[in-house]
Amino acid sequence: MVENLRLAFSLFFAGNNFLKNFMLKCVFPILLFFLCASLFAQVKKVVPPKSVIPYSESLQAVVVTTKDWSAVQGEAQMFERANDKSKWKAVGKSFPVAVGKNGMAWSDGLNELPSDTGRLLLKTEGDGKSPAGIFGLSSAFGTIEKSDKINLPYAKLEQWTECVDDVKSSHYNKIVNRMQVGNFDWKSSEKMLEIKPQYDLGVFVEHNAERQAGGGSCIFLHIWKDVNTATAGCTAMAREDMETILYRLDAKKNPVLIQLPLEDYKKFQTTWKLPKLK
C-alpha cells in the first residue's frame, strides 16, 4: 500500500520536480501517519471475559420486590453481612422504587433459572421490563466528580459517553466513549449525558453479562423522574436514596441486586439463601 501511494504521487507530479519532492517529503508522511492511525484504531481488541463472582461471596445486597410480575412500583431495602457465613442484616430504611413499564421478566444472572422458565418468559431487548434475578453491581457513573464516598469503579459522563443498545454491535450492552472506542459499529445507543436528571447518578447492573444479542442492555439503578413514572427496564429511585445506595456500595463486598416479585422472592428465599424480609 505504501509503495502504491508513493508511485501515485510520483506519476501525478512528474512534470514538477519541486512540487513532487515537497509532496513526497512533507505531505506523504503526514498522510501515511493518519492512514496507519485510522487502520489501527479500527482493530477489534480481544477483551478477556470478566471473572464472575458468585452470589454466595457477596456481602452487600440491594433487594427490590414488587407486588407481581406486571407491577411498576416496588420497594427496596439494602442488606449487609459480615462474611459469607453470617446472616443478612437490613441497613437503613426501605424506600420506594419504580421498575420497567411492563414489569419484570426473568434474566440469566447469578441465579439458576427456574426449570419451567421458557424463552417467552425471559427478558429481551426493548421489552420494557426490568430483569428478575440476582445481578452484580459492578460500577457507577454520574455527572459529578468521583469522591472518596464512592467505592465502586466510577466513570464521569462526558459528551461522548454512550451505552450501546444495538444488538449487532460488538459493544452491545457496554458503556463506551464514542471518541475513544475505536471500532464505532453501532447505530443505536443512549447518549447518557443527555438523560437528566436520571443519569446524574447511577450504578451498572450486570444483566446479560455475556452480552448475548437481543438479551437486553443498559440496565441501571438510577434517579427517577417521580414515583409514578416507570422506566424502560431500569430500577429508579429518589435522588437521596440513590446517593445513599451509591455511597454505601463497596466493590470489595461484591454487591448484588436481588430483584423479584414478592411471591417469587418468598418461593426462592430458602434455596437461594436470600436475605429475610420483614
Side-chain angles (χ1 to χ4, degrees), residues 19-70:
L19 189 56
K20 181 177 71 174
N21 291 333
F22 173 78
M23 294 298 290
L24 288 174
K25 292 180 179 179
C26 298
V27 178
F28 177 76
I30 295 174
L31 290 176
L32 184 60
F33 170 79
F34 281 108
L35 175 62
C36 292
S38 175
L39 289 174
F40 281 109
Q42 295 301 317
V43 174
K44 295 182 181 180
K45 296 181 179 179
V46 178
V47 180
K50 294 181 180 178
S51 57
V52 178
I53 300 173
Y55 163 64
S56 61
E57 297 182 18
S58 176
L59 304 181
Q60 284 185 323
V62 178
V63 174
V64 171
T65 56
T66 58
K67 183 178 65 175
D68 53 44
W69 287 96
S70 60

Side-chain angles (χ1 to χ4, degrees), residues 50 125 162-167 169-176 188 204-220:
K50 294 181 180 178
E125 183 68 42
E162 302 179 19
C163 188
V164 180
D165 55 18
D166 184 341
V167 300
S169 172
S170 60
H171 300 289
Y172 179 60
N173 196 27
K174 289 176 64 177
I175 296 176
V176 299
S188 176
F204 191 89
V205 177
E206 289 288 342
H207 152 73
N208 190 19
E210 295 183 355
R211 302 194 292 118
Q212 296 293 325
S217 62
C218 306
I219 301 298
F220 315 123

Side-chain angles (χ1 to χ4, degrees), residues 256-273:
V256 295
L257 169 67
I258 305 172
Q259 188 161 252
L260 290 165
L262 184 56
E263 183 177 341
D264 288 84
Y265 189 95
K266 293 177 179 178
K267 178 181 177 181
F268 296 105
Q269 185 168 349
T270 301
T271 55
W272 289 2
K273 299 181 180 180

Side-chain angles (χ1 to χ4, degrees), residues 40-238:
F40 281 109
Q42 295 301 317
V43 174
K44 295 182 181 180
K45 296 181 179 179
V46 178
V47 180
K50 294 181 180 178
S51 57
V52 178
I53 300 173
Y55 163 64
S56 61
E57 297 182 18
S58 176
L59 304 181
Q60 284 185 323
V62 178
V63 174
V64 171
T65 56
T66 58
K67 183 178 65 175
D68 53 44
W69 287 96
S70 60
V72 297
Q73 276 89 35
E75 185 177 85
Q77 173 71 60
M78 189 161 186
F79 290 85
E80 291 185 350
R81 57 182 177 176
N83 56 63
D84 59 6
K85 300 295 189 298
S86 303
K87 290 184 178 181
W88 289 101
K89 293 183 179 181
V91 177
K93 297 180 179 180
S94 62
F95 54 90
V97 295
V99 296
K101 60 185 178 182
N102 293 321
M104 290 190 201
W106 281 112
S107 174
D108 192 5
L110 299 176
N111 55 286
E112 291 185 7
L113 288 172
S115 58
D116 59 349
T117 305
R119 179 66 231 178
L120 294 178
L121 298 177
L122 289 175
K123 176 167 175 56
T124 58
E125 183 68 42
D127 61 4
K129 296 181 179 183
S130 293
I134 305 175
F135 313 95
L137 297 174
S138 59
S139 60
F141 60 84
T143 56
I144 63 173
E145 296 291 339
K146 187 180 188 303
S147 71
D148 294 337
K149 295 180 180 179
I150 301 175
N151 295 304
L152 290 176
Y154 179 83
K156 183 181 179 183
L157 300 183
E158 300 176 346
Q159 180 182 358
W160 306 109
T161 306
E162 302 179 19
C163 188
V164 180
D165 55 18
D166 184 341
V167 300
K168 296 182 180 180
S169 172
S170 60
H171 300 289
Y172 179 60
N173 196 27
K174 289 176 64 177
I175 296 176
V176 299
N177 185 309
R178 174 193 286 257
M179 303 305 290
Q180 298 175 358
V181 73
N183 184 34
F184 175 61
D185 64 353
W186 62 89
K187 296 181 180 179
S188 176
S189 66
E190 292 186 8
K191 279 66 174 177
M192 297 183 69
L193 192 60
E194 298 176 5
I195 304 176
K196 297 181 178 180
Q198 294 94 311
Y199 287 0
D200 282 353
L201 287 175
V203 175
F204 191 89
V205 177
E206 289 288 342
H207 152 73
N208 190 19
E210 295 183 355
R211 302 194 292 118
Q212 296 293 325
S217 62
C218 306
I219 301 298
F220 315 123
L221 304 181
H222 66 70
I223 299 169
W224 65 19
K225 286 185 177 180
D226 56 68
V227 67
N228 296 313
T229 302
T231 71
C234 296
T235 299
M237 61 201 73

